[in-house]
């Protein structure tokens, strides 16, 4: 038996005769607010699809860790990374951990971003924070990554948000790669923009979101969080993997 992964080379083939488990894979955080929000998102998924076996796993810092969750599974599973771009975890780490669980026939889906539905949710969060016609630019605050594919994905999400809002959107990072949020704000200010909002491109609150908020010159939107639209996007990734498995059989 072989499994395919949308994020890496083939390992095993998912059999969809049984409904696969949905394993939501979060990064993990020491911030209790982050963990609480991820649990709320998991509860949303279970409420929307009560017939699914929905399990939460973490890559680090929080229990249960992904290897432990995989040890408790048998048969088909779809791992949906609660990540917003490609990078080491999506391309290397998750496929390797799945390959180390031979009793699980599974796939790793693509990350959640970039996606037009995330642009819609980012706009919703901005509007909740007070975004309106007076807003003339946005900094898309992200964690950042040294992986060039991750940078490409985040820039693509910024372009989707810019097309939706009709204003310039620049990427600013709080951890690695690219200009910082403060630098992105300064560049937009130098271009003549005065009402610059910060859109928090994070799945949950935490240190990164607080760092981004501290650099906001005007309004700052809440992170994506446990929103029904984010839950639906997770389910879309899951359903796409299941459909692909059926076609591949």
């Amino acid at each position: 038996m072989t499994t395919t992964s949308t994020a890496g080379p083939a390992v095993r083939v998912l059999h969809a005769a049984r409904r696969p488990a949905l394993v939501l894979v979060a990064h993990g955080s020491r911030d209790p607010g982050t963990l609480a929000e991820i649990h709320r998102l998991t509860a949303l998924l279970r409420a929307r699809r009560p017939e699914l076996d929905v399990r939460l796993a973490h890559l680090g810092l929080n229990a249960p860790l992904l290897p432990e969750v995989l040890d408790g599974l048998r048969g088909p599973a779809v791992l949906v990374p609660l990540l917003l771009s490609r990078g080491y975890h999506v391309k290397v780490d998750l496929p390797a951990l799945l390959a180390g669980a031979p009793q699980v026939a599974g796939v790793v889906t693509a990350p959640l971003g970039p996606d037009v539905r995330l642009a819609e949710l980012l706009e919703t969060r901005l509007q909740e924070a007070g975004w309106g016609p007076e807003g003339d630019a946005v900094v898309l605050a992200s964690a950042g990554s040294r992986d060039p594919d991750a940078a490409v994905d985040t820039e693509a999400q910024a372009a989707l948000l810019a097309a939706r809002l009709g204003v310039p959107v620049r990427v600013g990072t709080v951890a690695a790669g690219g200009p910082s949020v403060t630098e992105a704000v300064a560049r937009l200010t130098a271009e003549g923009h005065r009402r610059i909002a910060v859109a928090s491109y994070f799945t949950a609150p935490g240190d990164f979101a607080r760092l981004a908020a501290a650099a906001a010159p005007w309004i700052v939107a809440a992170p994506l969080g446990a929103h029904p639209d984010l839950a639906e996007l997770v389910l879309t990734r899951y359903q796409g993997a299941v459909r692909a498995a059926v076609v591949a059989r």
Side-chain angles (χ1 to χ4, degrees):
M1 183 181 294
T2 60
T3 298
T4 57
S5 167
T6 59
V11 186
R12 291 184 301 275
V13 174
L14 177 107
H15 289 286
R18 293 170 51 193
R19 183 177 289 123
L22 190 167
V23 182
L24 182 67
V25 186
H27 187 278
S29 172
R30 293 184 177 87
D31 190 303
T34 301
L35 183 59
E37 194 74 4
I38 299 306
H39 278 291
R40 282 190 284 271
L41 178 60
T42 305
L44 275 177
L45 291 167
R46 289 171 175 156
R48 274 168 161 65
R49 294 290 300 275
E51 79 282 8
L52 290 182
D53 179 6
V54 177
R55 306 195 187 195
L56 173 62
H58 300 89
L59 290 167
L61 301 175
N62 301 120
L65 295 175
L66 180 56
E68 178 185 347
V69 172
L70 291 174
D71 283 347
L73 284 171
R74 296 293 184 275
V78 174
L79 278 59
V80 183
L82 192 58
L83 303 170
L84 298 173
S85 62
R86 292 168 293 168
Y88 175 81
H89 288 312
V90 172
K91 295 191 292 186
V92 178
D93 202 14
L94 286 173
L97 289 170
L98 182 57
Q103 81 286 0
V104 178
V107 295
V108 179
T109 74
L112 299 182
D115 195 283
V116 67
R117 287 159 292 192
L118 289 178
E120 295 169 2
L121 180 49
L122 287 163
E123 181 184 26
T124 296
R125 292 304 194 203
L126 283 166
Q127 290 170 341
E128 291 169 351
W131 176 265
E134 70 275 21
D136 62 2
V138 172
V139 172
L140 184 66
S142 70
S145 173
R146 293 183 177 86
D147 188 300
D149 287 335
V152 167
D153 287 347
T154 307
E155 289 290 350
Q157 188 64 58
L160 289 171
L161 183 58
R164 186 165 185 85
L165 298 177
V167 301
V169 177
R170 303 282 188 270
V171 173
T173 66
V174 297
S180 67
V181 175
T182 299
E183 290 167 338
V185 168
R187 292 179 186 182
L188 286 166
T189 301
E191 294 170 10
H193 300 286
R194 293 294 175 264
R195 292 284 190 172
I196 304 169
V198 171
S200 298
Y201 194 42
F202 311 108
T203 55
D207 288 341
F208 285 170
R210 284 189 286 272
L211 287 169
W218 182 41
I219 62 171
V220 58
L224 300 169
H227 192 279
D229 290 350
L230 190 62
E232 287 301 320
L233 181 53
V234 170
L235 290 171
T236 297
R237 292 286 185 267
Y238 168 85
Q239 290 160 353
V242 172
R243 285 194 298 269
V246 171
V247 169
R249 290 183 62 194

